[in-house]
Amino acid sequence: TWLEEQHGPYSAGAFFILKQGGAVKFRDKEWIRPDKYGHFSPEFWNFREVPVEAVDASDCEINYEGLDNLLLLKELQSLSLQRCPHVDDWCLSRLYPLADSLQELSLAGCPRVSERGLACLHHLQNLRRLDISDLPAVSNPGLTQILVEEMLPNCQVVGVDWAEGLKLGPEEQPQDTASPVPA
């Protein structure tokens, strides 16, 4: 809260992500990333009035409460939460304030995201790309992809083979055409 009051929501949100080891991109600027020691250029403090348009929080320890810092970024267009161990269904239910701006979202490799969380994304009608690959808590990836595509018709859902996990019905089982049919 203090950082937000002193430096504005964009810089405060960027600082949170950078301290977590993630990267941020302000509009019309280059990506800012921490080095191998966790240090990063303080130049982002100069971007108080410049919106953050992209966040890469891949592998970060971000959780439900930490999302407060991202929800300040009202013009965020791209968000990567790949392999975030604490991102779960509850976290996805909190993303609705970004509905007007968010166009790309990656949840690839998030071990705690299930079908229930993906259903919460129905608010994000401006999404154009959603990566739902490698979600171990999703029991039927193929069916889930179909349902997400129905829910978000203007969004390209990637990362899942649509037939993955779908069972063939008896009439669709492969037939052995080499053996003769008894008369």
Side-chain angles (χ1 to χ4, degrees):
T1 306
W2 181 84
L3 281 176
E4 184 182 351
E5 291 170 2
Q6 295 297 311
H7 300 283
Y10 305 136
S11 295
F15 181 75
F16 172 78
I17 293 299
L18 291 167
K19 289 302 277 184
Q20 294 286 321
V24 296
K25 184 178 183 317
F26 288 85
R27 182 178 294 147
D28 300 324
K29 307 290 182 197
E30 296 294 320
W31 280 93
I32 299 173
R33 300 179 185 281
D35 63 18
K36 64 182 179 180
Y37 304 107
H39 302 116
F40 44 87
S41 171
E43 73 175 321
F44 74 93
W45 294 118
N46 299 330
F47 304 146
R48 177 183 175 97
E49 303 298 323
V50 181
V52 174
E53 66 181 13
V55 167
D56 182 356
S58 298
D59 300 303
C60 290
E61 298 285 329
I62 194 166
N63 61 18
Y64 184 85
E65 289 84 18
L67 283 178
D68 286 342
N69 298 285
L70 293 178
L71 301 179
L72 301 172
L73 308 175
K74 299 295 185 194
E75 297 179 43
L76 188 64
Q77 296 174 12
S78 177
L79 175 59
S80 177
L81 297 171
Q82 292 185 37
R83 299 174 307 280
C84 290
H86 304 296
V87 169
D88 59 10
D89 297 342
W90 290 104
C91 291
L92 299 187
S93 72
R94 295 203 62 206
L95 294 180
Y96 68 89
L98 300 175
D100 290 338
S101 64
L102 200 60
Q103 297 175 22
E104 295 182 21
L105 177 62
S106 178
L107 302 171
C110 290
R112 299 176 69 191
V113 169
S114 76
E115 295 90 345
R116 288 188 176 126
L118 295 175
C120 295
L121 302 179
H122 73 275
H123 295 290
L124 305 179
Q125 291 297 312
N126 287 326
L127 270 185
R128 298 295 169 253
R129 187 173 193 281
L130 174 63
D131 187 345
I132 58 171
S133 58
D134 190 28
L135 299 178
V138 172
S139 59
N140 193 325
L143 182 58
T144 300
Q145 178 179 359
I146 292 168
L147 294 174
V148 171
E149 287 173 344
E150 288 291 319
M151 180 179 71
L152 299 169
N154 298 318
C155 183
Q156 176 189 14
V157 180
V158 299
V160 177
D161 174 10
W162 70 269
E164 186 178 336
L166 296 179
K167 302 260 191 263
L168 295 178
E171 67 281 354
E172 299 169 305
Q173 293 294 329
Q175 299 296 319
D176 183 5
T177 56
S179 62
V181 178

